[in-house]
Amino acid sequence: AQSVTQPDIHITVSEGASLELRCNYSYGATPYLFWYVQSPGQGLQLLLKYFSGDTLVQGIKGFEAEFKRSQSSFNLRKPSVHWSDAAEYFCVHNAGNMLTFGGGTRLMVKP
Amino acid sequence: DTGVSQDPRHKITKRGQNVTFRCDPISEHNRLYWYRQTLGQGPEFLTYFQNEAQLEKSRLLSDRFSAERPKGSFSTLEIQRTEQGDSAMYLCASGQGGNQPQHFGDGTRLSIL
């Protein structure tokens, strides 16, 4: 079945440390992929999107993601995490008519 | 652009009651989507509209659920005879379809007593 997998349910990093959140997909054609962030009790905010072309995409808040077809991955990265980045992060596949979400990774930031 | 607006933000009701949620999309978006998110999970697709036409419904949308978008602007999602399992966050999103991102509201949290 086509799906999006986020292997890490929880991740804790120290403020100022680098971050990488993993995402794997299982779609045959070039997928349309997004990363969204959700703060507690809030809706979802788009961080970045990948359609085609350059495999490294830049997003808001200093985030970037790299699409690697050979590894079926679309990992999210940030060089230096801020306390305000603590939230739930979702890797998402866009099938045109609907979004399919991964299970999410909850990021906690230690002072 | 005032974003996607959902009302109410929270709804507490007794099992068996009917509830209705409203979503106002971004005005220039012709597509409107409903998702359900249970605790600790990612959102799951329920249904979507293009203008006033409901084009797709998930198997999650049982007969007790009905969604409308009568004039192609705001949408309502009604749940009849609510059950404990309906407790969730109901998220609305709007967009322009295709490969374009969807923009989400803050959701309506439903709690069934």
Side-chain angles (χ1 to χ4, degrees), chain B residues 60-107:
Chain B
L60 294 176
L61 211 67
S62 76
D63 291 345
R64 297 183 298 105
F65 288 69
S66 63
E68 294 182 343
R69 195 183 183 197
K71 297 182 180 179
S73 56
F74 73 92
S75 175
T76 57
L77 177 66
E78 180 183 18
I79 309 174
Q80 296 182 326
R81 305 180 304 281
T82 52
E83 301 174 354
Q84 288 287 345
D86 296 332
S87 294
M89 174 80 89
Y90 290 84
L91 292 162
C92 176
S94 69
Q96 294 169 321
N99 59 11
Q100 295 304 308
Q102 296 176 18
H103 300 260
F104 285 82
D106 285 340

Tab-separated table of all heavy atoms in Angstrom, chain B residues 60-107:
chain	number	residue	atom	x	y	z
B	60	LEU	N	-14.073	6.322	6.001
B	60	LEU	CA	-14.217	6.751	7.392
B	60	LEU	C	-15.502	7.548	7.598
B	60	LEU	O	-15.986	7.674	8.724
B	60	LEU	CB	-13.034	7.635	7.802
B	60	LEU	CG	-11.667	6.986	7.861
B	60	LEU	CD1	-10.614	8.048	8.197
B	60	LEU	CD2	-11.643	5.878	8.905
B	61	LEU	N	-16.048	8.077	6.518
B	61	LEU	CA	-17.237	8.921	6.608
B	61	LEU	C	-18.472	8.030	6.611
B	61	LEU	O	-19.023	7.701	5.551
B	61	LEU	CB	-17.261	9.885	5.425
B	61	LEU	CG	-17.904	11.247	5.659
B	61	LEU	CD1	-17.081	12.068	6.636
B	61	LEU	CD2	-18.052	11.994	4.343
B	62	SER	N	-18.888	7.642	7.828
B	62	SER	CA	-20.035	6.741	7.928
B	62	SER	C	-21.322	7.480	7.589
B	62	SER	O	-21.329	8.695	7.365
B	62	SER	CB	-20.115	6.171	9.346
B	62	SER	OG	-20.621	7.151	10.237
B	63	ASP	N	-22.437	6.732	7.598
B	63	ASP	CA	-23.733	7.318	7.269
B	63	ASP	C	-24.150	8.389	8.269
B	63	ASP	O	-25.033	9.202	7.971
B	63	ASP	CB	-24.802	6.212	7.227
B	63	ASP	CG	-24.598	5.283	6.056
B	63	ASP	OD1	-23.832	5.648	5.146
B	63	ASP	OD2	-25.185	4.194	6.057
B	64	ARG	N	-23.537	8.407	9.447
B	64	ARG	CA	-23.907	9.410	10.444
B	64	ARG	C	-23.269	10.771	10.152
B	64	ARG	O	-23.622	11.761	10.776
B	64	ARG	CB	-23.487	8.944	11.836
B	64	ARG	CG	-24.183	7.674	12.314
B	64	ARG	CD	-23.766	7.311	13.738
B	64	ARG	NE	-22.335	7.037	13.837
B	64	ARG	CZ	-21.451	7.869	14.377
B	64	ARG	NH1	-21.846	9.039	14.866
B	64	ARG	NH2	-20.190	7.522	14.448
B	65	PHE	N	-22.342	10.783	9.226
B	65	PHE	CA	-21.636	12.011	8.878
B	65	PHE	C	-22.199	12.574	7.571
B	65	PHE	O	-22.414	11.823	6.608
B	65	PHE	CB	-20.143	11.746	8.668
B	65	PHE	CG	-19.368	11.469	9.926
B	65	PHE	CD1	-19.567	10.296	10.639
B	65	PHE	CD2	-18.428	12.370	10.385
B	65	PHE	CE1	-18.851	10.039	11.797
B	65	PHE	CE2	-17.697	12.123	11.533
B	65	PHE	CZ	-17.907	10.955	12.242
B	66	SER	N	-22.388	13.879	7.544
B	66	SER	CA	-22.767	14.519	6.289
B	66	SER	C	-22.089	15.872	6.191
B	66	SER	O	-21.989	16.608	7.170
B	66	SER	CB	-24.287	14.676	6.177
B	66	SER	OG	-24.766	15.518	7.201
B	67	ALA	N	-21.590	16.172	5.020
B	67	ALA	CA	-20.919	17.443	4.783
B	67	ALA	C	-21.593	18.135	3.614
B	67	ALA	O	-22.044	17.494	2.667
B	67	ALA	CB	-19.439	17.223	4.489
B	68	GLU	N	-21.642	19.453	3.720
B	68	GLU	CA	-22.252	20.252	2.665
B	68	GLU	C	-21.402	21.489	2.396
B	68	GLU	O	-20.688	21.977	3.281
B	68	GLU	CB	-23.663	20.710	3.069
B	68	GLU	CG	-24.659	19.592	3.213
B	68	GLU	CD	-26.037	20.124	3.563
B	68	GLU	OE1	-26.149	21.280	3.996
B	68	GLU	OE2	-27.008	19.357	3.404
B	69	ARG	N	-21.529	21.998	1.214
B	69	ARG	CA	-20.916	23.277	0.846
B	69	ARG	C	-21.869	23.945	-0.135
B	69	ARG	O	-21.610	23.998	-1.333
B	69	ARG	CB	-19.530	23.071	0.229
B	69	ARG	CG	-18.712	24.333	0.159
B	69	ARG	CD	-17.376	24.111	-0.528
B	69	ARG	NE	-16.585	25.333	-0.521
B	69	ARG	CZ	-15.539	25.530	-1.326
B	69	ARG	NH1	-15.162	24.593	-2.183
B	69	ARG	NH2	-14.872	26.661	-1.260
B	70	PRO	N	-22.977	24.434	0.371
B	70	PRO	CA	-24.117	24.789	-0.475
B	70	PRO	C	-23.847	25.852	-1.545
B	70	PRO	O	-24.389	25.784	-2.629
B	70	PRO	CB	-25.169	25.265	0.520
B	70	PRO	CG	-24.427	25.577	1.773
B	70	PRO	CD	-23.241	24.684	1.785
B	71	LYS	N	-23.044	26.811	-1.273
B	71	LYS	CA	-22.826	27.873	-2.252
B	71	LYS	C	-21.378	27.932	-2.701
B	71	LYS	O	-20.932	28.929	-3.262
B	71	LYS	CB	-23.259	29.231	-1.675
B	71	LYS	CG	-24.737	29.307	-1.348
B	71	LYS	CD	-25.122	30.676	-0.818
B	71	LYS	CE	-26.614	30.721	-0.500
B	71	LYS	NZ	-27.021	32.039	0.042
B	72	GLY	N	-20.671	26.866	-2.426
B	72	GLY	CA	-19.274	26.838	-2.829
B	72	GLY	C	-18.378	27.719	-1.994
B	72	GLY	O	-17.242	27.976	-2.386
B	73	SER	N	-18.892	28.177	-0.851
B	73	SER	CA	-18.036	29.012	0.017
B	73	SER	C	-17.786	28.247	1.316
B	73	SER	O	-16.955	27.350	1.341
B	73	SER	CB	-18.676	30.365	0.265
B	73	SER	OG	-19.979	30.213	0.826
B	74	PHE	N	-18.544	28.544	2.390
B	74	PHE	CA	-18.331	27.839	3.642
B	74	PHE	C	-18.870	26.416	3.550
B	74	PHE	O	-19.655	26.076	2.656
B	74	PHE	CB	-18.985	28.594	4.798
B	74	PHE	CG	-20.488	28.494	4.818
B	74	PHE	CD1	-21.120	27.492	5.538
B	74	PHE	CD2	-21.252	29.405	4.117
B	74	PHE	CE1	-22.504	27.388	5.552
B	74	PHE	CE2	-22.639	29.321	4.130
B	74	PHE	CZ	-23.262	28.304	4.838
B	75	SER	N	-18.431	25.585	4.489
B	75	SER	CA	-18.891	24.196	4.541
B	75	SER	C	-19.308	23.853	5.960
B	75	SER	O	-18.825	24.457	6.924
B	75	SER	CB	-17.774	23.257	4.099
B	75	SER	OG	-18.141	21.890	4.243
B	76	THR	N	-20.222	22.898	6.077
B	76	THR	CA	-20.602	22.361	7.381
B	76	THR	C	-20.383	20.857	7.385
B	76	THR	O	-20.550	20.186	6.367
B	76	THR	CB	-22.065	22.661	7.721
B	76	THR	OG1	-22.908	22.124	6.699
B	76	THR	CG2	-22.304	24.159	7.853
B	77	LEU	N	-19.990	20.361	8.544
B	77	LEU	CA	-19.858	18.923	8.766
B	77	LEU	C	-20.766	18.580	9.939
B	77	LEU	O	-20.614	19.125	11.033
B	77	LEU	CB	-18.416	18.556	9.096
B	77	LEU	CG	-18.135	17.091	9.420
B	77	LEU	CD1	-18.356	16.206	8.195
B	77	LEU	CD2	-16.700	16.901	9.939
B	78	GLU	N	-21.736	17.696	9.707
B	78	GLU	CA	-22.659	17.305	10.750
B	78	GLU	C	-22.421	15.847	11.119
B	78	GLU	O	-22.229	15.001	10.245
B	78	GLU	CB	-24.119	17.478	10.307
B	78	GLU	CG	-25.115	17.074	11.392
B	78	GLU	CD	-26.567	17.166	10.953
B	78	GLU	OE1	-26.833	17.209	9.733
B	78	GLU	OE2	-27.438	17.179	11.837
B	79	ILE	N	-22.443	15.585	12.419
B	79	ILE	CA	-22.376	14.210	12.912
B	79	ILE	C	-23.673	13.949	13.672
B	79	ILE	O	-24.001	14.661	14.624
B	79	ILE	CB	-21.175	13.971	13.841
B	79	ILE	CG1	-19.881	14.454	13.197
B	79	ILE	CG2	-21.079	12.486	14.187
B	79	ILE	CD1	-18.664	14.371	14.119
B	80	GLN	N	-24.393	12.938	13.256
B	80	GLN	CA	-25.641	12.576	13.930
B	80	GLN	C	-25.390	11.427	14.902
B	80	GLN	O	-24.522	10.582	14.675
B	80	GLN	CB	-26.693	12.175	12.897
B	80	GLN	CG	-27.094	13.313	11.972
B	80	GLN	CD	-28.168	12.898	10.980
B	80	GLN	OE1	-28.203	11.755	10.534
B	80	GLN	NE2	-29.049	13.820	10.644
B	81	ARG	N	-26.155	11.420	15.985
B	81	ARG	CA	-26.097	10.331	16.977
B	81	ARG	C	-24.635	10.037	17.350
B	81	ARG	O	-24.122	8.932	17.142
B	81	ARG	CB	-26.774	9.082	16.429
B	81	ARG	CG	-28.209	9.318	15.978
B	81	ARG	CD	-28.857	8.048	15.424
B	81	ARG	NE	-28.123	7.449	14.333
B	81	ARG	CZ	-28.138	7.869	13.068
B	81	ARG	NH1	-28.875	8.918	12.750
B	81	ARG	NH2	-27.435	7.238	12.133
B	82	THR	N	-23.977	11.044	17.890
B	82	THR	CA	-22.548	10.926	18.171
B	82	THR	C	-22.237	9.727	19.063
B	82	THR	O	-23.036	9.344	19.937
B	82	THR	CB	-22.007	12.193	18.843
B	82	THR	OG1	-22.836	12.507	19.981
B	82	THR	CG2	-21.992	13.350	17.874
B	83	GLU	N	-21.044	9.169	18.835
B	83	GLU	CA	-20.536	8.029	19.594
B	83	GLU	C	-19.196	8.404	20.220
B	83	GLU	O	-18.546	9.365	19.783
B	83	GLU	CB	-20.360	6.823	18.674
B	83	GLU	CG	-21.637	6.395	17.978
B	83	GLU	CD	-21.411	5.288	16.952
B	83	GLU	OE1	-20.227	4.931	16.704
B	83	GLU	OE2	-22.410	4.783	16.385
B	84	GLN	N	-18.792	7.623	21.223
B	84	GLN	CA	-17.517	7.907	21.893
B	84	GLN	C	-16.367	7.979	20.894
B	84	GLN	O	-15.471	8.826	20.993
B	84	GLN	CB	-17.214	6.815	22.923
B	84	GLN	CG	-18.080	6.848	24.161
B	84	GLN	CD	-17.719	7.983	25.086
B	84	GLN	OE1	-16.661	8.586	24.949
B	84	GLN	NE2	-18.593	8.291	26.015
B	85	GLY	N	-16.400	7.124	19.911
B	85	GLY	CA	-15.322	7.062	18.929
B	85	GLY	C	-15.241	8.278	18.019
B	85	GLY	O	-14.280	8.419	17.262
B	86	ASP	N	-16.233	9.142	18.096
B	86	ASP	CA	-16.201	10.362	17.270
B	86	ASP	C	-15.337	11.443	17.904
B	86	ASP	O	-15.058	12.462	17.263
B	86	ASP	CB	-17.618	10.912	17.075
B	86	ASP	CG	-18.517	9.961	16.312
B	86	ASP	OD1	-17.998	9.169	15.493
B	86	ASP	OD2	-19.741	10.002	16.544
B	87	SER	N	-14.927	11.246	19.142
B	87	SER	CA	-14.072	12.230	19.814
B	87	SER	C	-12.771	12.380	19.036
B	87	SER	O	-12.041	11.397	18.830
B	87	SER	CB	-13.770	11.782	21.245
B	87	SER	OG	-14.934	11.780	22.025
B	88	ALA	N	-12.492	13.582	18.593
B	88	ALA	CA	-11.324	13.836	17.741
B	88	ALA	C	-11.234	15.326	17.471
B	88	ALA	O	-12.115	16.103	17.857
B	88	ALA	CB	-11.447	13.086	16.412
B	89	MET	N	-10.156	15.705	16.781
B	89	MET	CA	-10.039	17.048	16.234
B	89	MET	C	-10.490	16.966	14.774
B	89	MET	O	-10.009	16.102	14.027
B	89	MET	CB	-8.591	17.531	16.310
B	89	MET	CG	-8.349	18.864	15.631
B	89	MET	SD	-8.846	20.247	16.653
B	89	MET	CE	-7.308	20.518	17.543
B	90	TYR	N	-11.396	17.837	14.386
B	90	TYR	CA	-11.866	17.878	13.002
B	90	TYR	C	-11.247	19.103	12.333
B	90	TYR	O	-11.472	20.238	12.760
B	90	TYR	CB	-13.394	17.904	12.950
B	90	TYR	CG	-13.961	16.565	13.376
B	90	TYR	CD1	-14.144	16.271	14.730
B	90	TYR	CD2	-14.235	15.572	12.438
B	90	TYR	CE1	-14.602	15.026	15.141
B	90	TYR	CE2	-14.693	14.324	12.836
B	90	TYR	CZ	-14.868	14.060	14.191
B	90	TYR	OH	-15.314	12.823	14.590
B	91	LEU	N	-10.454	18.839	11.315
B	91	LEU	CA	-9.690	19.882	10.648
B	91	LEU	C	-10.266	20.154	9.269
B	91	LEU	O	-10.635	19.230	8.541
B	91	LEU	CB	-8.228	19.449	10.489
B	91	LEU	CG	-7.433	19.339	11.786
B	91	LEU	CD1	-6.183	18.504	11.555
B	91	LEU	CD2	-7.060	20.703	12.323
B	92	CYS	N	-10.324	21.409	8.930
B	92	CYS	CA	-10.748	21.842	7.611
B	92	CYS	C	-9.550	22.471	6.910
B	92	CYS	O	-8.710	23.126	7.553
B	92	CYS	CB	-11.881	22.850	7.743
B	92	CYS	SG	-12.439	23.563	6.176
B	93	ALA	N	-9.453	22.261	5.625
B	93	ALA	CA	-8.392	22.863	4.835
B	93	ALA	C	-8.973	23.354	3.518
B	93	ALA	O	-10.003	22.857	3.058
B	93	ALA	CB	-7.271	21.861	4.568
B	94	SER	N	-8.297	24.314	2.915
B	94	SER	CA	-8.711	24.751	1.586
B	94	SER	C	-7.482	24.871	0.707
B	94	SER	O	-6.352	24.988	1.206
B	94	SER	CB	-9.492	26.062	1.637
B	94	SER	OG	-8.669	27.158	1.996
B	95	GLY	N	-7.716	24.846	-0.595
B	95	GLY	CA	-6.608	24.914	-1.534
B	95	GLY	C	-7.111	25.065	-2.949
B	95	GLY	O	-8.320	25.199	-3.193
B	96	GLN	N	-6.158	25.009	-3.865
B	96	GLN	CA	-6.498	25.181	-5.273
B	96	GLN	C	-6.359	23.887	-6.055
B	96	GLN	O	-6.439	23.879	-7.281
B	96	GLN	CB	-5.613	26.296	-5.868
B	96	GLN	CG	-5.920	27.651	-5.256
B	96	GLN	CD	-4.898	28.714	-5.607
B	96	GLN	OE1	-3.716	28.432	-5.656
B	96	GLN	NE2	-5.354	29.924	-5.841
B	97	GLY	N	-6.171	22.778	-5.338
B	97	GLY	CA	-6.148	21.480	-5.977
B	97	GLY	C	-4.814	21.179	-6.633
B	97	GLY	O	-3.843	21.928	-6.486
B	98	GLY	N	-4.770	20.063	-7.338
B	98	GLY	CA	-3.547	19.653	-7.999
B	98	GLY	C	-2.446	19.408	-6.992
B	98	GLY	O	-2.656	18.800	-5.945
B	99	ASN	N	-1.237	19.885	-7.296
B	99	ASN	CA	-0.113	19.661	-6.393
B	99	ASN	C	0.091	20.808	-5.408
B	99	ASN	O	1.106	20.861	-4.724
B	99	ASN	CB	1.161	19.419	-7.187
B	99	ASN	CG	1.486	20.592	-8.104
B	99	ASN	OD1	0.880	21.656	-7.994
B	99	ASN	ND2	2.427	20.399	-8.999
B	100	GLN	N	-0.859	21.719	-5.326
B	100	GLN	CA	-0.728	22.862	-4.430
B	100	GLN	C	-1.005	22.459	-2.983
B	100	GLN	O	-1.847	21.597	-2.723
B	100	GLN	CB	-1.681	23.987	-4.859
B	100	GLN	CG	-1.346	24.562	-6.216
B	100	GLN	CD	0.083	25.056	-6.293
B	100	GLN	OE1	0.538	25.834	-5.452
B	100	GLN	NE2	0.825	24.581	-7.283
B	101	PRO	N	-0.324	23.087	-2.039
B	101	PRO	CA	-0.540	22.751	-0.628
B	101	PRO	C	-1.947	23.110	-0.170
B	101	PRO	O	-2.622	23.947	-0.783
B	101	PRO	CB	0.488	23.605	0.111
B	101	PRO	CG	1.437	24.081	-0.913
B	101	PRO	CD	0.707	24.104	-2.208
B	102	GLN	N	-2.369	22.472	0.901
B	102	GLN	CA	-3.626	22.812	1.536
B	102	GLN	C	-3.335	23.663	2.768
B	102	GLN	O	-2.342	23.455	3.463
B	102	GLN	CB	-4.378	21.537	1.916
B	102	GLN	CG	-4.775	20.713	0.701
B	102	GLN	CD	-5.425	19.400	1.047
B	102	GLN	OE1	-5.905	19.199	2.169
B	102	GLN	NE2	-5.460	18.479	0.101
B	103	HIS	N	-4.224	24.607	3.017
B	103	HIS	CA	-4.081	25.519	4.146
B	103	HIS	C	-5.115	25.134	5.188
B	103	HIS	O	-6.307	25.085	4.886
B	103	HIS	CB	-4.269	26.961	3.681
B	103	HIS	CG	-3.268	27.379	2.650
B	103	HIS	ND1	-2.158	28.119	2.960
B	103	HIS	CD2	-3.192	27.123	1.321
B	103	HIS	CE1	-1.445	28.320	1.848
B	103	HIS	NE2	-2.048	27.728	0.853
B	104	PHE	N	-4.657	24.913	6.408
B	104	PHE	CA	-5.508	24.364	7.457
B	104	PHE	C	-6.012	25.417	8.428
B	104	PHE	O	-5.313	26.390	8.743
B	104	PHE	CB	-4.742	23.302	8.255
B	104	PHE	CG	-4.595	22.002	7.526
B	104	PHE	CD1	-3.599	21.830	6.585
B	104	PHE	CD2	-5.469	20.954	7.772
B	104	PHE	CE1	-3.474	20.628	5.892
B	104	PHE	CE2	-5.349	19.744	7.090
B	104	PHE	CZ	-4.346	19.585	6.157
B	105	GLY	N	-7.233	25.183	8.930
B	105	GLY	CA	-7.738	25.928	10.063
B	105	GLY	C	-7.202	25.344	11.357
B	105	GLY	O	-6.460	24.350	11.343
B	106	ASP	N	-7.595	25.946	12.484
B	106	ASP	CA	-7.117	25.486	13.783
B	106	ASP	C	-7.899	24.291	14.314
B	106	ASP	O	-7.552	23.736	15.348
B	106	ASP	CB	-7.167	26.626	14.801
B	106	ASP	CG	-6.054	27.640	14.587
B	106	ASP	OD1	-5.053	27.286	13.929
B	106	ASP	OD2	-6.193	28.781	15.066
B	107	GLY	N	-8.966	23.908	13.621
B	107	GLY	CA	-9.695	22.706	13.977
B	107	GLY	C	-10.791	22.929	14.995
B	107	GLY	O	-10.833	23.948	15.705
